[in-house]
Amino acid sequence: MRWVSNRRVQERISLLIFLAPTLAFVFVFIAFPILFSGYLSFSEYDYAQDDSPRFIGLKGYRDMLFEDSLFHTALVNQFKFAIPYFTITFVVSLGLAIIVGELTRGIQLFQIIFYLPMIIPMSLVGIAFTWILSPDLGILNHILRTIGRESWAKHWFGNPNTALYGLVMARSWKMIGFTFIVFLSGVQAIPRSLREAAEVDGASFVQEVWYVVIPLLRPYLLAGGIWITINSIKVFTLPHMVTQGGPGVSTLTLYLYSWKAAFQRYDMGLASRIAYFTALIILILAWAL
């Protein structure tokens, strides 16, 4: 019994030794920043002037929610971005998955084609779409002028009414590939016999998709929907690279406002509050799905 006990102690010590680097990484780079930023969210802290944070409790959250007009603008912009982004990414990736799933050859080629944008850095996507949507040299405006729709040509990122939706186009183009792969794997997992049975019963292609494919895709739709929802809120690189939150504050998102609060206004308390509020929105939307 003593030998067994000593062996168990040695196994636990060995386990702790092997886990120590991972545990240290989790504590230093994940747990501690989360806990410390949580404390900062209840504090006032201008790290350029203050020696240490000053605890103010819920007052900071109250001021942010009811008195900060920039926060209100960023929150509205966030949902103006998230709703069309979610709709476009979800519907287009699902449609592509269903169409490609009908093919008997070349499926892997389409998987590669649609997934390629995922490996492109978001900063390069922003640069590419800045050129595509350029008012004078942009491809989109050139096409509109060529087909006689010159009145539709705009300075897409220079117009407060269209800048945010230009960012939606850019991010959707990059991100559709991931959910396309998720949905396509679900389509391919559906037994062919079920679809053949629907065809024998006289179901059209649309009816087959609606009554057979979509219901069986629910776990995949849920996983893809949660992923799209998270990415519809975590928006920073594109507005930071392309518009810097402008024109005016028309593309100021929550993540970008948090960054500006931290590194332009040096207000780490406000930045932490915005970050935690954004995380709360993501959790609520993911739970709602």
mmCIF file of all heavy atoms in Angstrom, residues 203-246:
data_model
loop_
_atom_site.group_PDB
_atom_site.id
_atom_site.type_symbol
_atom_site.label_atom_id
_atom_site.label_comp_id
_atom_site.label_asym_id
_atom_site.label_seq_id
_atom_site.Cartn_x
_atom_site.Cartn_y
_atom_site.Cartn_z
ATOM 1 N N ALA A 203 -41.146 15.820 -53.958
ATOM 2 C CA ALA A 203 -40.691 17.108 -53.444
ATOM 3 C C ALA A 203 -39.791 17.797 -54.463
ATOM 4 O O ALA A 203 -38.949 17.153 -55.105
ATOM 5 C CB ALA A 203 -39.933 16.910 -52.133
ATOM 6 N N SER A 204 -39.985 19.100 -54.615
ATOM 7 C CA SER A 204 -39.105 19.888 -55.470
ATOM 8 C C SER A 204 -37.782 20.114 -54.746
ATOM 9 O O SER A 204 -37.643 19.800 -53.559
ATOM 10 C CB SER A 204 -39.758 21.225 -55.815
ATOM 11 O OG SER A 204 -39.917 22.013 -54.641
ATOM 12 N N PHE A 205 -36.823 20.700 -55.458
ATOM 13 C CA PHE A 205 -35.521 20.959 -54.828
ATOM 14 C C PHE A 205 -35.671 21.904 -53.641
ATOM 15 O O PHE A 205 -35.071 21.681 -52.580
ATOM 16 C CB PHE A 205 -34.558 21.544 -55.856
ATOM 17 C CG PHE A 205 -33.233 21.935 -55.278
ATOM 18 C CD1 PHE A 205 -32.285 20.976 -54.933
ATOM 19 C CD2 PHE A 205 -32.918 23.281 -55.050
ATOM 20 C CE1 PHE A 205 -31.064 21.330 -54.377
ATOM 21 C CE2 PHE A 205 -31.695 23.641 -54.504
ATOM 22 C CZ PHE A 205 -30.768 22.664 -54.167
ATOM 23 N N VAL A 206 -36.493 22.953 -53.804
ATOM 24 C CA VAL A 206 -36.690 23.912 -52.713
ATOM 25 C C VAL A 206 -37.341 23.230 -51.515
ATOM 26 O O VAL A 206 -36.944 23.443 -50.357
ATOM 27 C CB VAL A 206 -37.539 25.106 -53.193
ATOM 28 C CG1 VAL A 206 -37.865 26.035 -52.023
ATOM 29 C CG2 VAL A 206 -36.813 25.874 -54.289
ATOM 30 N N GLN A 207 -38.350 22.395 -51.770
ATOM 31 C CA GLN A 207 -39.017 21.679 -50.674
ATOM 32 C C GLN A 207 -38.053 20.697 -49.998
ATOM 33 O O GLN A 207 -38.069 20.537 -48.779
ATOM 34 C CB GLN A 207 -40.235 20.934 -51.212
ATOM 35 C CG GLN A 207 -41.374 21.847 -51.642
ATOM 36 C CD GLN A 207 -42.486 21.095 -52.327
ATOM 37 O OE1 GLN A 207 -42.246 20.111 -53.049
ATOM 38 N NE2 GLN A 207 -43.718 21.526 -52.105
ATOM 39 N N GLU A 208 -37.230 20.051 -50.794
ATOM 40 C CA GLU A 208 -36.235 19.121 -50.254
ATOM 41 C C GLU A 208 -35.273 19.839 -49.320
ATOM 42 O O GLU A 208 -34.958 19.350 -48.234
ATOM 43 C CB GLU A 208 -35.478 18.481 -51.423
ATOM 44 C CG GLU A 208 -34.454 17.455 -51.022
ATOM 45 C CD GLU A 208 -33.696 16.944 -52.230
ATOM 46 O OE1 GLU A 208 -34.277 16.884 -53.337
ATOM 47 O OE2 GLU A 208 -32.505 16.623 -52.065
ATOM 48 N N VAL A 209 -34.821 21.018 -49.748
ATOM 49 C CA VAL A 209 -33.907 21.794 -48.911
ATOM 50 C C VAL A 209 -34.609 22.254 -47.643
ATOM 51 O O VAL A 209 -34.053 22.146 -46.540
ATOM 52 C CB VAL A 209 -33.358 23.002 -49.703
ATOM 53 C CG1 VAL A 209 -32.629 23.958 -48.774
ATOM 54 C CG2 VAL A 209 -32.427 22.528 -50.816
ATOM 55 N N TRP A 210 -35.824 22.752 -47.759
ATOM 56 C CA TRP A 210 -36.529 23.338 -46.625
ATOM 57 C C TRP A 210 -36.966 22.301 -45.601
ATOM 58 O O TRP A 210 -36.862 22.528 -44.384
ATOM 59 C CB TRP A 210 -37.742 24.122 -47.121
ATOM 60 C CG TRP A 210 -38.452 24.873 -46.034
ATOM 61 C CD1 TRP A 210 -39.633 24.544 -45.435
ATOM 62 C CD2 TRP A 210 -38.007 26.068 -45.389
ATOM 63 N NE1 TRP A 210 -39.966 25.456 -44.469
ATOM 64 C CE2 TRP A 210 -38.988 26.413 -44.420
ATOM 65 C CE3 TRP A 210 -36.886 26.877 -45.540
ATOM 66 C CZ2 TRP A 210 -38.873 27.529 -43.615
ATOM 67 C CZ3 TRP A 210 -36.778 27.999 -44.729
ATOM 68 C CH2 TRP A 210 -37.762 28.309 -43.784
ATOM 69 N N TYR A 211 -37.452 21.146 -46.058
ATOM 70 C CA TYR A 211 -38.031 20.163 -45.149
ATOM 71 C C TYR A 211 -37.067 19.033 -44.756
ATOM 72 O O TYR A 211 -37.333 18.323 -43.778
ATOM 73 C CB TYR A 211 -39.295 19.552 -45.766
ATOM 74 C CG TYR A 211 -40.426 20.539 -45.885
ATOM 75 C CD1 TYR A 211 -40.793 21.056 -47.132
ATOM 76 C CD2 TYR A 211 -41.119 20.974 -44.755
ATOM 77 C CE1 TYR A 211 -41.828 21.971 -47.247
ATOM 78 C CE2 TYR A 211 -42.165 21.886 -44.868
ATOM 79 C CZ TYR A 211 -42.503 22.381 -46.104
ATOM 80 O OH TYR A 211 -43.525 23.294 -46.210
ATOM 81 N N VAL A 212 -35.987 18.871 -45.505
ATOM 82 C CA VAL A 212 -35.054 17.786 -45.196
ATOM 83 C C VAL A 212 -33.683 18.338 -44.783
ATOM 84 O O VAL A 212 -33.168 18.025 -43.706
ATOM 85 C CB VAL A 212 -34.896 16.823 -46.398
ATOM 86 C CG1 VAL A 212 -33.876 15.734 -46.063
ATOM 87 C CG2 VAL A 212 -36.232 16.204 -46.766
ATOM 88 N N VAL A 213 -33.110 19.175 -45.652
ATOM 89 C CA VAL A 213 -31.738 19.626 -45.425
ATOM 90 C C VAL A 213 -31.641 20.564 -44.226
ATOM 91 O O VAL A 213 -30.823 20.345 -43.316
ATOM 92 C CB VAL A 213 -31.164 20.299 -46.693
ATOM 93 C CG1 VAL A 213 -29.774 20.866 -46.411
ATOM 94 C CG2 VAL A 213 -31.102 19.306 -47.841
ATOM 95 N N ILE A 214 -32.449 21.621 -44.213
ATOM 96 C CA ILE A 214 -32.356 22.628 -43.149
ATOM 97 C C ILE A 214 -32.581 22.022 -41.759
ATOM 98 O O ILE A 214 -31.788 22.284 -40.837
ATOM 99 C CB ILE A 214 -33.332 23.791 -43.406
ATOM 100 C CG1 ILE A 214 -33.013 24.496 -44.727
ATOM 101 C CG2 ILE A 214 -33.292 24.782 -42.240
ATOM 102 C CD1 ILE A 214 -31.663 25.163 -44.767
ATOM 103 N N PRO A 215 -33.638 21.220 -41.549
ATOM 104 C CA PRO A 215 -33.817 20.644 -40.205
ATOM 105 C C PRO A 215 -32.629 19.790 -39.742
ATOM 106 O O PRO A 215 -32.266 19.812 -38.559
ATOM 107 C CB PRO A 215 -35.083 19.787 -40.353
ATOM 108 C CG PRO A 215 -35.833 20.425 -41.481
ATOM 109 C CD PRO A 215 -34.779 20.896 -42.431
ATOM 110 N N LEU A 216 -32.028 19.030 -40.666
ATOM 111 C CA LEU A 216 -30.903 18.176 -40.293
ATOM 112 C C LEU A 216 -29.610 18.972 -40.104
ATOM 113 O O LEU A 216 -28.640 18.450 -39.541
ATOM 114 C CB LEU A 216 -30.694 17.097 -41.354
ATOM 115 C CG LEU A 216 -31.836 16.068 -41.464
ATOM 116 C CD1 LEU A 216 -31.588 15.116 -42.622
ATOM 117 C CD2 LEU A 216 -31.977 15.281 -40.169
ATOM 118 N N LEU A 217 -29.591 20.217 -40.566
ATOM 119 C CA LEU A 217 -28.405 21.059 -40.422
ATOM 120 C C LEU A 217 -28.410 21.880 -39.143
ATOM 121 O O LEU A 217 -27.477 22.659 -38.911
ATOM 122 C CB LEU A 217 -28.293 22.028 -41.615
ATOM 123 C CG LEU A 217 -27.723 21.489 -42.921
ATOM 124 C CD1 LEU A 217 -27.692 22.600 -43.974
ATOM 125 C CD2 LEU A 217 -26.318 20.941 -42.724
ATOM 126 N N ARG A 218 -29.422 21.739 -38.306
ATOM 127 C CA ARG A 218 -29.559 22.625 -37.143
ATOM 128 C C ARG A 218 -28.320 22.688 -36.257
ATOM 129 O O ARG A 218 -27.908 23.781 -35.843
ATOM 130 C CB ARG A 218 -30.790 22.211 -36.331
ATOM 131 C CG ARG A 218 -32.090 22.688 -36.959
ATOM 132 C CD ARG A 218 -33.290 22.268 -36.160
ATOM 133 N NE ARG A 218 -34.531 22.684 -36.809
ATOM 134 C CZ ARG A 218 -35.744 22.320 -36.413
ATOM 135 N NH1 ARG A 218 -35.870 21.531 -35.350
ATOM 136 N NH2 ARG A 218 -36.815 22.735 -37.053
ATOM 137 N N PRO A 219 -27.673 21.569 -35.919
ATOM 138 C CA PRO A 219 -26.450 21.685 -35.085
ATOM 139 C C PRO A 219 -25.354 22.493 -35.775
ATOM 140 O O PRO A 219 -24.649 23.281 -35.127
ATOM 141 C CB PRO A 219 -26.020 20.222 -34.886
ATOM 142 C CG PRO A 219 -27.245 19.419 -35.136
ATOM 143 C CD PRO A 219 -28.024 20.163 -36.169
ATOM 144 N N TYR A 220 -25.230 22.324 -37.091
ATOM 145 C CA TYR A 220 -24.213 23.069 -37.844
ATOM 146 C C TYR A 220 -24.606 24.537 -37.961
ATOM 147 O O TYR A 220 -23.743 25.424 -37.888
ATOM 148 C CB TYR A 220 -24.041 22.456 -39.237
ATOM 149 C CG TYR A 220 -23.580 21.025 -39.218
ATOM 150 C CD1 TYR A 220 -24.494 19.977 -39.166
ATOM 151 C CD2 TYR A 220 -22.226 20.710 -39.247
ATOM 152 C CE1 TYR A 220 -24.073 18.653 -39.140
ATOM 153 C CE2 TYR A 220 -21.793 19.391 -39.227
ATOM 154 C CZ TYR A 220 -22.726 18.368 -39.171
ATOM 155 O OH TYR A 220 -22.300 17.067 -39.149
ATOM 156 N N LEU A 221 -25.907 24.801 -38.148
ATOM 157 C CA LEU A 221 -26.376 26.187 -38.229
ATOM 158 C C LEU A 221 -26.167 26.902 -36.904
ATOM 159 O O LEU A 221 -25.824 28.088 -36.874
ATOM 160 C CB LEU A 221 -27.858 26.215 -38.616
ATOM 161 C CG LEU A 221 -28.227 25.623 -39.978
ATOM 162 C CD1 LEU A 221 -29.732 25.724 -40.210
ATOM 163 C CD2 LEU A 221 -27.477 26.322 -41.103
ATOM 164 N N LEU A 222 -26.368 26.180 -35.800
ATOM 165 C CA LEU A 222 -26.154 26.780 -34.475
ATOM 166 C C LEU A 222 -24.687 27.130 -34.279
ATOM 167 O O LEU A 222 -24.359 28.242 -33.848
ATOM 168 C CB LEU A 222 -26.616 25.814 -33.388
ATOM 169 C CG LEU A 222 -26.387 26.271 -31.946
ATOM 170 C CD1 LEU A 222 -27.149 27.563 -31.669
ATOM 171 C CD2 LEU A 222 -26.802 25.182 -30.968
ATOM 172 N N ALA A 223 -23.796 26.187 -34.598
ATOM 173 C CA ALA A 223 -22.359 26.440 -34.436
ATOM 174 C C ALA A 223 -21.907 27.595 -35.320
ATOM 175 O O ALA A 223 -21.191 28.507 -34.878
ATOM 176 C CB ALA A 223 -21.567 25.179 -34.766
ATOM 177 N N GLY A 224 -22.341 27.591 -36.585
ATOM 178 C CA GLY A 224 -21.976 28.671 -37.493
ATOM 179 C C GLY A 224 -22.575 29.998 -37.074
ATOM 180 O O GLY A 224 -21.924 31.047 -37.162
ATOM 181 N N GLY A 225 -23.822 29.965 -36.595
ATOM 182 C CA GLY A 225 -24.485 31.190 -36.164
ATOM 183 C C GLY A 225 -23.795 31.831 -34.972
ATOM 184 O O GLY A 225 -23.641 33.058 -34.909
ATOM 185 N N ILE A 226 -23.362 31.016 -34.008
ATOM 186 C CA ILE A 226 -22.639 31.553 -32.854
ATOM 187 C C ILE A 226 -21.316 32.169 -33.294
ATOM 188 O O ILE A 226 -20.932 33.262 -32.840
ATOM 189 C CB ILE A 226 -22.408 30.445 -31.809
ATOM 190 C CG1 ILE A 226 -23.741 30.039 -31.173
ATOM 191 C CG2 ILE A 226 -21.426 30.906 -30.732
ATOM 192 C CD1 ILE A 226 -23.644 28.865 -30.228
ATOM 193 N N TRP A 227 -20.618 31.488 -34.191
ATOM 194 C CA TRP A 227 -19.326 31.999 -34.664
ATOM 195 C C TRP A 227 -19.505 33.328 -35.395
ATOM 196 O O TRP A 227 -18.735 34.272 -35.193
ATOM 197 C CB TRP A 227 -18.671 30.969 -35.574
ATOM 198 C CG TRP A 227 -17.252 31.267 -35.915
ATOM 199 C CD1 TRP A 227 -16.142 30.988 -35.178
ATOM 200 C CD2 TRP A 227 -16.777 31.932 -37.089
ATOM 201 N NE1 TRP A 227 -15.006 31.422 -35.813
ATOM 202 C CE2 TRP A 227 -15.361 32.004 -36.997
ATOM 203 C CE3 TRP A 227 -17.389 32.459 -38.219
ATOM 204 C CZ2 TRP A 227 -14.577 32.595 -37.982
ATOM 205 C CZ3 TRP A 227 -16.614 33.037 -39.204
ATOM 206 C CH2 TRP A 227 -15.218 33.100 -39.078
ATOM 207 N N ILE A 228 -20.535 33.423 -36.241
ATOM 208 C CA ILE A 228 -20.794 34.668 -36.969
ATOM 209 C C ILE A 228 -21.182 35.775 -35.990
ATOM 210 O O ILE A 228 -20.756 36.929 -36.136
ATOM 211 C CB ILE A 228 -21.907 34.469 -38.012
ATOM 212 C CG1 ILE A 228 -21.463 33.460 -39.070
ATOM 213 C CG2 ILE A 228 -22.252 35.792 -38.697
ATOM 214 C CD1 ILE A 228 -22.587 33.051 -40.025
ATOM 215 N N THR A 229 -21.988 35.439 -34.993
ATOM 216 C CA THR A 229 -22.413 36.428 -34.005
ATOM 217 C C THR A 229 -21.208 37.024 -33.269
ATOM 218 O O THR A 229 -21.111 38.240 -33.107
ATOM 219 C CB THR A 229 -23.369 35.783 -32.986
ATOM 220 O OG1 THR A 229 -24.537 35.310 -33.667
ATOM 221 C CG2 THR A 229 -23.782 36.788 -31.922
ATOM 222 N N ILE A 230 -20.298 36.158 -32.833
ATOM 223 C CA ILE A 230 -19.104 36.638 -32.136
ATOM 224 C C ILE A 230 -18.308 37.577 -33.034
ATOM 225 O O ILE A 230 -17.857 38.651 -32.609
ATOM 226 C CB ILE A 230 -18.239 35.447 -31.681
ATOM 227 C CG1 ILE A 230 -18.978 34.656 -30.591
ATOM 228 C CG2 ILE A 230 -16.884 35.923 -31.170
ATOM 229 C CD1 ILE A 230 -18.300 33.366 -30.205
ATOM 230 N N ASN A 231 -18.139 37.190 -34.298
ATOM 231 C CA ASN A 231 -17.358 38.011 -35.223
ATOM 232 C C ASN A 231 -18.092 39.280 -35.652
ATOM 233 O O ASN A 231 -17.451 40.221 -36.139
ATOM 234 C CB ASN A 231 -16.979 37.190 -36.456
ATOM 235 C CG ASN A 231 -15.786 36.296 -36.206
ATOM 236 O OD1 ASN A 231 -14.643 36.736 -36.238
ATOM 237 N ND2 ASN A 231 -16.052 35.036 -35.923
ATOM 238 N N SER A 232 -19.397 39.316 -35.500
ATOM 239 C CA SER A 232 -20.143 40.530 -35.836
ATOM 240 C C SER A 232 -19.964 41.607 -34.771
ATOM 241 O O SER A 232 -20.187 42.790 -35.030
ATOM 242 C CB SER A 232 -21.633 40.208 -36.011
ATOM 243 O OG SER A 232 -22.232 39.889 -34.763
ATOM 244 N N ILE A 233 -19.560 41.192 -33.565
ATOM 245 C CA ILE A 233 -19.343 42.148 -32.477
ATOM 246 C C ILE A 233 -17.862 42.477 -32.333
ATOM 247 O O ILE A 233 -17.484 43.606 -32.026
ATOM 248 C CB ILE A 233 -19.902 41.583 -31.152
ATOM 249 C CG1 ILE A 233 -21.390 41.232 -31.296
ATOM 250 C CG2 ILE A 233 -19.720 42.590 -30.030
ATOM 251 C CD1 ILE A 233 -22.277 42.414 -31.640
ATOM 252 N N LYS A 234 -17.001 41.491 -32.545
ATOM 253 C CA LYS A 234 -15.549 41.712 -32.407
ATOM 254 C C LYS A 234 -15.007 42.368 -33.685
ATOM 255 O O LYS A 234 -14.392 41.701 -34.520
ATOM 256 C CB LYS A 234 -14.847 40.390 -32.135
ATOM 257 C CG LYS A 234 -15.191 39.770 -30.793
ATOM 258 C CD LYS A 234 -14.566 38.386 -30.637
ATOM 259 C CE LYS A 234 -13.063 38.443 -30.733
ATOM 260 N NZ LYS A 234 -12.429 37.115 -30.546
ATOM 261 N N VAL A 235 -15.264 43.642 -33.827
ATOM 262 C CA VAL A 235 -14.869 44.368 -35.038
ATOM 263 C C VAL A 235 -13.920 45.489 -34.644
ATOM 264 O O VAL A 235 -14.313 46.448 -33.994
ATOM 265 C CB VAL A 235 -16.105 44.955 -35.756
ATOM 266 C CG1 VAL A 235 -15.695 45.645 -37.044
ATOM 267 C CG2 VAL A 235 -17.123 43.858 -36.036
ATOM 268 N N PHE A 236 -12.676 45.349 -35.030
ATOM 269 C CA PHE A 236 -11.684 46.372 -34.704
ATOM 270 C C PHE A 236 -10.766 46.702 -35.882
ATOM 271 O O PHE A 236 -10.633 47.860 -36.273
ATOM 272 C CB PHE A 236 -10.832 45.944 -33.512
ATOM 273 C CG PHE A 236 -9.634 46.821 -33.282
ATOM 274 C CD1 PHE A 236 -9.789 48.092 -32.749
ATOM 275 C CD2 PHE A 236 -8.365 46.399 -33.637
ATOM 276 C CE1 PHE A 236 -8.688 48.922 -32.560
ATOM 277 C CE2 PHE A 236 -7.263 47.209 -33.450
ATOM 278 C CZ PHE A 236 -7.421 48.480 -32.906
ATOM 279 N N THR A 237 -10.142 45.680 -36.459
ATOM 280 C CA THR A 237 -9.072 45.909 -37.439
ATOM 281 C C THR A 237 -9.547 46.703 -38.645
ATOM 282 O O THR A 237 -8.877 47.669 -39.062
ATOM 283 C CB THR A 237 -8.481 44.568 -37.909
ATOM 284 O OG1 THR A 237 -8.074 43.809 -36.762
ATOM 285 C CG2 THR A 237 -7.287 44.796 -38.821
ATOM 286 N N LEU A 238 -10.691 46.330 -39.219
ATOM 287 C CA LEU A 238 -11.158 47.015 -40.427
ATOM 288 C C LEU A 238 -11.433 48.497 -40.188
ATOM 289 O O LEU A 238 -10.899 49.348 -40.910
ATOM 290 C CB LEU A 238 -12.394 46.314 -40.987
ATOM 291 C CG LEU A 238 -12.152 45.194 -41.997
ATOM 292 C CD1 LEU A 238 -13.468 44.572 -42.427
ATOM 293 C CD2 LEU A 238 -11.380 45.700 -43.209
ATOM 294 N N PRO A 239 -12.289 48.857 -39.220
ATOM 295 C CA PRO A 239 -12.505 50.302 -39.016
ATOM 296 C C PRO A 239 -11.247 51.037 -38.591
ATOM 297 O O PRO A 239 -11.058 52.208 -38.932
ATOM 298 C CB PRO A 239 -13.592 50.356 -37.933
ATOM 299 C CG PRO A 239 -13.580 49.022 -37.292
ATOM 300 C CD PRO A 239 -13.147 48.056 -38.341
ATOM 301 N N HIS A 240 -10.377 50.369 -37.859
ATOM 302 C CA HIS A 240 -9.126 51.010 -37.434
ATOM 303 C C HIS A 240 -8.211 51.271 -38.626
ATOM 304 O O HIS A 240 -7.602 52.348 -38.740
ATOM 305 C CB HIS A 240 -8.420 50.124 -36.408
ATOM 306 C CG HIS A 240 -7.094 50.671 -35.961
ATOM 307 N ND1 HIS A 240 -6.960 51.869 -35.299
ATOM 308 C CD2 HIS A 240 -5.834 50.185 -36.098
ATOM 309 C CE1 HIS A 240 -5.692 52.088 -35.033
ATOM 310 N NE2 HIS A 240 -4.976 51.092 -35.520
ATOM 311 N N MET A 241 -8.117 50.308 -39.544
ATOM 312 C CA MET A 241 -7.220 50.426 -40.685
ATOM 313 C C MET A 241 -7.787 51.319 -41.785
ATOM 314 O O MET A 241 -7.066 52.095 -42.405
ATOM 315 C CB MET A 241 -6.933 49.040 -41.279
ATOM 316 C CG MET A 241 -6.031 48.163 -40.438
ATOM 317 S SD MET A 241 -4.335 48.742 -40.440
ATOM 318 C CE MET A 241 -3.944 48.631 -42.178
ATOM 319 N N VAL A 242 -9.097 51.206 -42.029
ATOM 320 C CA VAL A 242 -9.692 51.825 -43.213
ATOM 321 C C VAL A 242 -10.260 53.207 -42.920
ATOM 322 O O VAL A 242 -10.024 54.161 -43.678
ATOM 323 C CB VAL A 242 -10.792 50.915 -43.802
ATOM 324 C CG1 VAL A 242 -11.457 51.575 -45.006
ATOM 325 C CG2 VAL A 242 -10.216 49.551 -44.187
ATOM 326 N N THR A 243 -11.011 53.364 -41.842
ATOM 327 C CA THR A 243 -11.747 54.609 -41.619
ATOM 328 C C THR A 243 -11.364 55.323 -40.328
ATOM 329 O O THR A 243 -11.758 56.473 -40.137
ATOM 330 C CB THR A 243 -13.264 54.329 -41.576
ATOM 331 O OG1 THR A 243 -13.543 53.449 -40.476
ATOM 332 C CG2 THR A 243 -13.741 53.691 -42.878
ATOM 333 N N GLN A 244 -10.650 54.653 -39.429
ATOM 334 C CA GLN A 244 -10.317 55.211 -38.110
ATOM 335 C C GLN A 244 -11.562 55.682 -37.347
ATOM 336 O O GLN A 244 -11.517 56.621 -36.562
ATOM 337 C CB GLN A 244 -9.318 56.375 -38.221
ATOM 338 C CG GLN A 244 -7.935 55.965 -38.698
ATOM 339 C CD GLN A 244 -7.888 55.786 -40.201
ATOM 340 O OE1 GLN A 244 -8.330 56.642 -40.966
ATOM 341 N NE2 GLN A 244 -7.318 54.673 -40.642
ATOM 342 N N GLY A 245 -12.686 55.035 -37.639
ATOM 343 C CA GLY A 245 -13.936 55.391 -36.972
ATOM 344 C C GLY A 245 -14.751 56.434 -37.704
ATOM 345 O O GLY A 245 -15.873 56.735 -37.296
ATOM 346 N N GLY A 246 -14.224 56.999 -38.777
ATOM 347 C CA GLY A 246 -14.913 58.053 -39.525
ATOM 348 C C GLY A 246 -15.655 57.513 -40.730
ATOM 349 O O GLY A 246 -15.734 56.309 -40.917
#
